[in-house]
Amino acid sequence: MRAFLDEAGLHEYAVRSLGRAMRTEAELRRLMAARVEPGERGETVISAVLARLKKNGYLNDAAFAETYARLRHENEKLGQRNVRQKLQQKGVASHIVNETLEARYGGTDEEALARQHLERKRIRKPENEKEAARVMRRLVTAGFSTGVIYKILRQWDVPDETLAALENVGDEPHEE
């Protein structure tokens, strides 16, 4: 077991950690908690390091959320629901998530984004019910609304019987 870090050592550890990957305050706090002694003394050191990092511009959850959402929107073509869920999992405050997603996805055509996602992933028109279910799961996982997904499937001339069978596909656990 390694020795607990003091404030200077913890700051250095935090800066190196931020140099390897963008992180939220909650993620960094979790990482640092393992490096300091448990209890109030450790929390005091963590709080001091976090305050210093914020003051120096190394840690900013709003900037993290904007960059994260921009990359998922522009590069991965992911839907708003997926990005919201991931930001919340990373510990970004709800008001920051809401502001970021409104700014990033406010004027986005969700159907066009879903089509870009399908194209990016090279997903073709389904030929049978099993493939239609797979497309539906992929789009739900990517964060698109069921309304948009059904619209795309209808435009692909997926039979109504198949669409009816897909009613609960997005809610079921699955393997891919």
Side-chain angles (χ1 to χ4, degrees):
M1 182 164 167
R2 37 179 104 130
F4 295 125
L5 298 176
D6 61 1
E7 188 175 331
L10 191 63
H11 182 268
E12 185 178 321
Y13 169 76
V15 170
R16 282 195 322 266
S17 179
L18 288 169
R20 285 190 297 277
M22 288 179 10
R23 299 187 193 283
T24 64
E25 180 179 340
E27 290 175 313
L28 193 57
R29 179 180 289 278
R30 182 185 50 76
L31 287 173
M32 291 190 305
R35 303 295 182 141
V36 296
E37 63 183 282
E40 192 176 316
R41 187 181 248 167
E43 278 302 314
T44 303
V45 172
I46 290 172
S47 295
V49 170
L50 289 173
R52 186 171 162 198
L53 292 170
K54 286 181 193 176
K55 180 180 170 227
N56 293 330
Y58 290 125
L59 190 62
N60 182 334
D61 278 1
F64 173 91
E66 165 50 31
T67 301
Y68 187 90
R70 180 178 49 80
L71 292 173
R72 297 322 174 273
H73 182 258
E74 292 175 1
N75 297 345
E76 296 181 41
K77 310 299 185 204
L78 293 177
Q80 182 174 341
R81 287 182 185 179
N82 178 286
V83 176
R84 177 181 303 281
Q85 184 179 24
K86 295 287 170 65
L87 286 172
Q88 288 171 339
Q89 288 172 353
K90 290 179 174 294
V92 177
S94 294
H95 73 278
I96 294 174
V97 172
N98 292 337
E99 291 169 11
T100 300
L101 294 180
E102 179 57 37
R104 175 58 48 193
Y105 285 88
T108 300
D109 177 355
E110 188 181 18
E111 182 184 346
L113 188 62
R115 289 183 182 287
Q116 290 170 0
H117 179 78
L118 290 169
E119 187 177 310
R120 182 179 182 278
K121 295 292 185 177
R122 294 183 174 97
I123 298 172
R124 295 181 304 279
K125 176 182 173 179
E127 300 295 326
N128 55 44
E129 189 173 315
K130 184 177 177 181
E131 288 179 15
R134 185 177 150 271
V135 170
M136 175 104 176
R137 280 193 305 271
R138 294 284 299 264
L139 288 173
V140 166
T141 301
F144 297 102
S145 69
T146 53
V148 165
I149 296 168
Y150 280 118
K151 186 174 181 182
I152 290 170
L153 291 174
R154 279 190 195 95
Q155 290 172 355
W156 274 349
D157 295 325
V158 172
D160 287 338
E161 307 82 57
T162 301
L163 292 176
L166 296 177
E167 290 277 329
N168 297 320
V169 167
D171 302 327
E172 298 172 2
H174 61 279
E175 306 231 354
E176 229 173 275

